[in-house]
Amino acid sequence: MTVYDNEKSLAEDTEDPVDRMLKKTGCIELHYKVQDCIAETQDWRKCQEPVKQFKNCMSNYEKKRREKNVA
């Protein structure tokens, strides 16, 4: 195992579980968009469009996951 492999393994072990889950859904960029909006505006109410996009992405992911599990 090389030093690079050790560093890569350490990075994977310390990855945030929420980020890991969101990467699987394909919605992580929309999640970041919501976070950025809230950080910029300091008011979640002004971020309804990014929240809606994220919600739709997660809903689509869940729908596909349920369909896959039924088949």
Side-chain angles (χ1 to χ4, degrees), residues 1-62:
M1 185 176 273
T2 67
V3 172
Y4 173 77
D5 291 333
N6 284 335
E7 289 175 4
K8 183 178 176 188
S9 178
L10 180 60
E12 289 170 354
D13 291 343
T14 59
E15 182 180 29
D16 181 18
V18 174
D19 284 345
R20 193 176 319 127
M21 184 272 302
L22 287 169
K23 284 179 184 176
K24 289 180 185 177
T25 67
C27 302
I28 195 161
E29 292 302 321
L30 292 171
H31 172 70
Y32 291 150
K33 192 174 178 182
V34 171
Q35 286 184 321
D36 289 344
C37 180
I38 293 171
E40 288 173 14
T41 65
Q42 297 292 304
D43 186 351
W44 65 269
R45 296 170 294 183
K46 295 179 181 177
C47 301
Q48 292 308 296
E49 188 56 35
V51 168
K52 183 178 176 181
Q53 292 171 352
F54 177 67
K55 179 183 174 187
N56 288 339
C57 182
M58 290 300 295
S59 293
N60 289 335
Y61 169 78
E62 286 297 324

